[in-house]
Amino acid sequence: MKIFYTLLLTLSFSFGFEYNLKPQKVTEGVYCFFGKLENINKQNAGNMVNTCFIQTKEGFIVIDSGPTYAYAQQAYTQMQNIAKLPVKYVINTHDHDDHWLGNSFYKSKGALLIGSKTYEQNVFEGMQTRMHRVLGDRLYQNTKIVTLDRVIDTAYTFKVGEENIEIKKLVKQGHTQGDLIVFLPSKRTIFVGDLVFNGRLTSLRDGSLMGSIEALEKIDAYDAKYIIAGHGFNTDKNATKALKTYLLEIKEKVQKALDEDIGMEEITKKVPMLAYEKMKLYDVLHKNNVLDAYKELEMIEEDEDEE
Ligand SMILES: [Zn+2]
C-alpha cells in the first residue's frame, strides 16, 4: 500500500498540477475556460483567469494562454477533443502574467503569438513573474517566457478560415497601458480581457479610472451579443454593467471628497462603498482602487488649474 501511495505521489509530481479544465460553449465555435474568482494561490495554480478559443475551419485562435505551461497543455488537450485542428494564433489581451504564461506551450505547437506593445516592453526572458513567485518551481515547471511574433500598436484585422478577427486598442490606458480587445463580427462576440471584470473587483494598479470608464463605453458601443471578460462568468451584453457602476461610483465619491478638500490619508475611510463589501476581493483591492482614483483625479484637477 505504501509503495502505491509513493508511486501515486511521484506520478502527480511528475505530471504537475491537474487543472480539470472543462470548456464552456459561449456560442457556436466560441468556448472558454472560466477561472475562479480569486487571487493567484497554490491551490488554484493560477486558474483564476478566463481563457477562450475560437474554432474555424483552418484551426483555433486562442485568446489568452493562461497562467502556466501545464494549464495551456491541458487546455489544448480539451480543444483537441472538440476538433483535431492546429492552434494557428494566440492573442494576448494584455501583459499581466495570468493571461500569457501558457504562450511557450502554444509556440511549441507552431502557433503565432500576437500581443500588445506593452508586452514587448514589460516582458523579457529571465524576469521573475508574480506567478512564479506565488506558485513556486513545481507548479510553474516548463513555463517559459517567449517573444511575440506580432506586436499590435493600435489595430489589426486578419482572416483565419472563414472568420474575420479584429484586434483593437480602445484607449490609451484602461486596465493597463496596452489592453487589446478581440472582436469576432460573425458571432457578435467581443473578448475584452481585463477591461471587464464581473463577480469580483478589478484592480486599478496599472490602469486608469477615466480610461477604464471610456473603454467600457466603447465596448458597449460594439453592441455585441457576447462580452467575454478576463475574469468573471457573465458573458451576456450586460457583462460590463457591474464594473461600470462600481467605477462611476468611485469617480463620483472621490471627486466629491476632493472638492471638499479631503486629504489622501482620509480618503479610503470616506469612500468605503460597503455595498461592495461582499464582492470577491473587496478586502484586497478596494482601498487601493480608491487611492489610485484619488491620485488620478487630483492630477487631472492640477492639470486643469495650470491651464
Ligand atoms: Zn487578469
Side-chain angles (χ1 to χ4, degrees):
M1 205 58 176
K2 206 173 170 191
I3 296 167
F4 174 74
Y5 280 120
T6 317
L7 191 70
L8 205 69
L9 207 67
T10 323
L11 278 175
S12 62
F13 262 88
S14 53
F15 286 126
F17 190 80
E18 175 52 59
Y19 283 95
N20 285 313
L21 298 174
K22 298 269 178 300
Q24 309 287 321
K25 188 175 182 176
V26 177
T27 183
E28 208 48 51
V30 177
Y31 302 83
C32 294
F33 301 104
F34 292 97
K36 295 193 168 77
L37 302 176
E38 304 170 346
N39 255 341
I40 302 162
N41 58 47
K42 281 200 159 98
Q43 285 68 47
N44 63 36
N47 186 11
M48 36 62 77
V49 57
N50 298 343
T51 69
C52 302
F53 57 98
I54 302 165
Q55 184 184 348
T56 75
K57 287 195 182 94
E58 254 181 43
F60 292 113
I61 301 124
V62 170
I63 323 282
D64 284 340
S65 58
T68 62
Y69 182 94
Y71 176 101
Q73 194 171 34
Q74 291 169 35
Y76 178 79
T77 304
Q78 293 298 318
M79 277 178 240
Q80 294 305 300
N81 288 338
I82 291 173
K84 294 260 175 286
L85 287 166
V87 173
K88 291 284 204 184
Y89 298 92
V90 175
I91 305 167
N92 299 140
T93 56
H94 63 294
D95 65 273
H96 286 159
D97 64 2
D98 44 329
H99 297 263
W100 53 261
L101 277 166
N103 280 1
S104 69
F105 170 78
Y106 289 110
K107 193 152 193 166
S108 77
K109 291 279 168 195
L112 290 177
L113 308 177
I114 301 176
S116 70
K117 239 186 177 163
T118 48
Y119 179 106
E120 208 185 31
Q121 287 158 352
N122 300 334
V123 174
F124 50 90
E125 226 178 290
M127 78 187 269
Q128 162 84 306
T129 64
R130 170 185 61 159
M131 195 62 70
H132 196 172
R133 208 165 49 234
V134 178
L135 298 191
D137 288 343
R138 189 177 68 82
L139 294 173
Y140 195 77
Q141 64 180 319
N142 299 326
T143 306
K144 285 188 191 69
I145 290 173
V146 285
T147 52
L148 298 174
D149 298 294
R150 183 178 279 272
V151 176
I152 312 298
D153 193 10
T154 51
Y156 177 58
T157 297
F158 63 113
K159 208 168 171 164
V160 187
E162 70 283 24
E163 297 291 353
N164 276 313
I165 316 282
E166 300 176 16
I167 305 178
K168 205 165 176 190
K169 186 181 173 194
L170 297 180
V171 293
K172 202 164 149 244
Q173 186 177 14
H175 179 68
T176 67
Q177 290 182 10
D179 306 287
L180 301 176
I181 62 94
V182 181
F183 183 54
L184 191 61
S186 76
K187 316 272 188 208
R188 285 181 62 204
T189 298
I190 186 166
F191 304 86
V192 292
D194 285 4
L195 290 170
V196 176
F197 282 68
N198 49 60
R200 56 156 285 193
L201 287 192
T202 185
S203 163
L204 290 174
R205 160 177 56 107
D206 294 328
S208 151
L209 171 72
M210 299 305 284
S212 295
I213 294 169
E214 189 191 342
L216 289 169
E217 271 155 15
K218 289 190 169 169
I219 290 165
D220 285 341
Y222 273 85
D223 195 26
K225 205 166 166 201
Y226 303 100
I227 301 176
I228 304 176
H231 303 267
F233 310 136
N234 184 2
T235 59
D236 66 22
K237 61 179 172 43
N238 296 313
T240 54
K241 260 196 183 146
L243 180 60
K244 211 176 191 177
T245 311
Y246 173 72
L247 293 177
L248 286 172
E249 191 175 332
I250 289 196
K251 184 188 161 200
E252 188 200 314
K253 294 205 159 137
V254 172
Q255 189 58 57
K256 187 164 171 276
L258 271 168
D259 294 343
E260 290 167 359
D261 285 326
I262 306 250
M264 185 126 99
E265 330 64 59
E266 281 177 280
I267 189 66
T268 55
K269 280 189 222 97
K270 291 280 175 192
V271 190
M273 290 169 54
L274 293 173
Y276 291 89
E277 210 179 12
K278 292 269 170 321
M279 184 80 107
K280 295 253 173 16
L281 295 169
Y282 172 92
D283 291 344
V284 197
L285 299 171
H286 180 67
K287 271 188 185 171
N288 286 329
N289 287 342
V290 169
L291 276 176
D292 287 333
Y294 185 92
K295 287 181 220 154
E296 183 178 335
L297 293 176
E298 193 182 35
M299 190 101 84
I300 293 172
E301 239 172 38
E302 280 168 11
D303 287 349
E304 277 168 359
D305 288 346
E306 273 167 30
E307 276 161 22

